[in-house]
């Protein structure tokens, strides 16, 4: 059976090494899903595939060994999974839509982890709703704190949770546990002055180690959520590199707006002759200049008063020629 491979990939099926055989890609935005969908995925794998599933590095699934002629039947069985996980579609009943924008990944977040500053899956799903489906090659990841368990600095956009520590002096017992924890586990943003910890707000990275270490809850997390937004980390053949800080103390809505603005920027400047119609955002920024990217990214964005925007970013990394 001949197959239009472009159409195949836009339907989120993989081109495999074996002629006539494909694999269905299943997105799990934020990396969390109801367990009931696992039995549905198993049924598809056992009935239409070869009985195996690959857990992808982007927190999704690939059902392997599906014959081309079974694609329509597989799409029909995928529909309740797609609807249950609230994933946008271009056309109902036709399975998953374009997979150019990769599944949005996230660490487990503050519903489980005491270090996390926010609910990563909830924010990841909100981002997914705002940008998917889209053919452009974007990679976005969320992590709950500065520990960066999700390795977000290897993505186009990395979102790290931050908190503004709130101090109640009447609860402080002058034990210095917070000062010691910040010095050993973080950046040493606390000093002990007149029997009380004093926070250097310019040095603080919002990790929350002081909150976790205090035995008397003198430190608490801020009610308002803040984020560190990093830009344009990547792997790849030519120039792998880590993402650099763009904005500290950003808010949720601003980050979503910046990502959406970047889609407009890429559509404007992408190389039409790029292989497969895809060009990494970082290479476009290298070509047009950071200032041009920044102008597009911050269009109509209203950041919190405490936000700190990097004036100029310089990326390093290994360069292969």
């Amino acid at each position: 059976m001949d197959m239009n491979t472009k159409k195949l990939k836009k339907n989120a099926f993989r081109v495999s090494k074996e002629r006539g055989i494909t694999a269905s890609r299943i997105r799990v935005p934020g990396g969390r899903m109801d367990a009931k969908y696992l039995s549905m995925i198993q049924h598809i794998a056992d009935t239409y595939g070869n009985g195996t599933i690959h857990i992808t590095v982007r927190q999704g699934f690939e059902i392997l060994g599906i014959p081309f002629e079974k694609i329509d039947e597989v799409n029909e069985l995928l529909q309740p999974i797609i609807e249950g996980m609230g994933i946008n579609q271009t056309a109902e009943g036709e399975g998953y839509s374009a997979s150019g924008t990769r599944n949005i990944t996230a660490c487990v977040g503050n519903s489980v982890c005491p270090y996390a500053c926010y609910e990563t899956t909830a924010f990841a799903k909100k981002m997914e709703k705002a940008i998917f489906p889209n053919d452009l090659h974007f990679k976005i990841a969320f992590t709950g704190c500065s520990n960066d368990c999700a390795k977000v600095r290897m993505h186009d956009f990395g979102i790290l949770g931050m908190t503004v520590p709130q101090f109640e002096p009447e609860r402080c017992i002058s034990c210095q546990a917070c000062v010691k924890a910040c010095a050993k586990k973080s950046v040493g943003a606390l000093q002990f002055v007149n029997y009380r910890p004093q926070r250097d707000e310019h040095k603080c990275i919002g990790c929350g180690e002081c909150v976790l270490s205090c035995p008397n809850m003198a430190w608490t997390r801020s009610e308002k959520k803040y984020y560190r937004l990093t830009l344009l980390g990547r792997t790849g053949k030519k120039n792998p590199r880590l993402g650099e800080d763009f904005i500290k103390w950003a808010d949720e809505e601003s980050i979503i707006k910046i990502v959406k603005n970047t889609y407009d920027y890429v559509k404007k400047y992408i190389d039409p002759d790029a292989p497969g119609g895809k060009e990494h955002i970082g290479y476009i920024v290298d070509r047009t200049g950071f200032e041009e990217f920044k102008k597009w990214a911050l269009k109509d964005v209203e950041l919190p008063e405490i936000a700190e925007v990097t004036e100029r970013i310089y990326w390093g990394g290994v360069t292969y020629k």
Side-chain angles (χ1 to χ4, degrees):
M1 178 181 179
D2 290 331
M3 175 61 66
N4 182 325
T5 57
K6 184 176 181 180
K7 180 180 178 181
L8 182 80
K9 289 188 286 186
K10 282 183 69 65
N11 196 186
F13 284 88
R14 174 181 287 280
V15 176
S16 74
K17 294 172 67 176
E18 187 177 354
R19 186 171 178 81
I21 298 296
T22 184
S24 174
R25 295 176 171 181
I26 297 177
R27 300 172 72 90
V28 184
R32 190 181 306 173
M33 60 189 285
D34 289 342
K36 64 183 179 182
Y37 298 122
L38 293 173
S39 61
M40 299 181 186
I41 294 170
Q42 179 188 2
H43 172 68
I44 297 171
D46 288 339
T47 306
Y48 297 97
N50 61 15
T52 64
I53 294 170
H54 175 69
I55 301 174
T56 75
V57 296
R58 299 207 62 80
Q59 299 181 328
F61 296 95
E62 287 195 10
I63 303 174
L64 308 178
I66 299 171
F68 284 170
E69 59 268 20
K70 299 296 183 180
I71 287 176
D72 289 342
E73 295 174 61
V74 169
N75 279 339
E76 185 177 345
L77 291 174
L78 287 173
Q79 193 60 35
I81 300 174
I82 294 168
E83 292 176 0
M85 287 199 272
I87 294 171
N88 295 340
Q89 285 180 286
T90 52
E92 185 177 329
E94 295 184 7
Y96 283 86
S97 306
S99 57
T101 292
R102 300 299 192 247
N103 187 51
I104 297 173
T105 64
C107 75
V108 71
N110 70 359
S111 64
V112 177
C113 179
Y115 292 94
C117 296
Y118 72 105
E119 226 296 32
T120 52
T121 300
F123 195 172
K125 288 183 175 180
K126 188 173 182 179
M127 180 69 77
E128 167 91 5
K129 271 293 186 184
I131 64 175
F132 184 81
N134 200 297
D135 284 337
L136 295 178
H137 192 127
F138 278 41
K139 292 180 179 177
I140 304 169
F142 293 80
T143 198
C145 70
S146 300
N147 288 333
D148 193 9
C149 296
K151 307 296 185 291
V152 303
R153 288 185 182 272
M154 297 176 70
H155 294 73
D156 299 308
F157 293 98
I159 297 96
L160 296 91
M162 304 178 73
T163 189
V164 181
Q166 307 295 298
F167 183 63
E168 297 181 46
E170 66 275 10
R171 299 189 67 93
C172 179
I173 58 174
S174 303
C175 67
Q176 299 191 56
C178 59
V179 177
K180 294 173 184 176
C182 188
K184 289 183 178 181
K185 297 182 179 180
S186 191
V187 297
L190 295 179
Q191 290 185 327
F192 202 57
V193 180
N194 294 329
Y195 301 99
R196 289 289 185 269
Q198 191 174 85
R199 171 176 166 262
D200 184 339
E201 63 183 40
H202 298 293
K203 195 173 184 180
C204 177
I205 61 172
C207 64
E209 285 289 349
C210 53
V211 176
L212 294 169
S213 65
C214 182
N216 213 39
M217 296 184 66
W219 288 105
T220 55
R221 298 185 191 277
S222 56
E223 183 176 343
K224 191 167 184 178
K225 307 298 181 186
Y226 295 98
Y227 308 90
R228 180 187 302 268
L229 177 62
T230 68
L231 288 184
L232 307 181
R234 66 187 181 211
T235 54
K237 300 181 182 72
K238 293 183 178 180
N239 180 211
R241 65 192 187 190
L242 291 179
E244 296 285 346
D245 288 358
F246 181 37
I247 303 174
K248 291 184 285 185
W249 310 110
D251 66 300
E252 190 172 296
E253 295 305 320
S254 293
I255 290 173
I256 292 175
K257 179 63 175 173
I258 288 168
V259 173
K260 293 175 73 173
N261 284 345
T262 302
Y263 277 92
D264 294 333
Y265 161 81
V266 170
K267 289 173 185 175
K268 171 71 174 178
Y269 289 112
I270 192 170
D271 181 358
D273 298 321
K278 296 177 182 178
E279 185 179 21
H280 195 284
I281 305 168
Y283 292 114
I284 301 174
V285 174
D286 292 345
R287 190 174 68 248
T288 68
F290 176 73
E291 290 302 320
E292 182 66 11
F293 164 79
K294 185 177 177 181
K295 181 181 74 176
W296 282 75
L298 294 179
K299 182 182 178 182
D300 299 326
V301 173
E302 297 181 7
L303 290 164
E305 188 175 340
I306 67 169
E308 300 175 20
V309 181
T310 303
E311 289 298 319
R312 191 74 177 85
I313 296 179
Y314 299 93
W315 288 272
V318 179
T319 300
Y320 297 100
K321 297 181 179 179

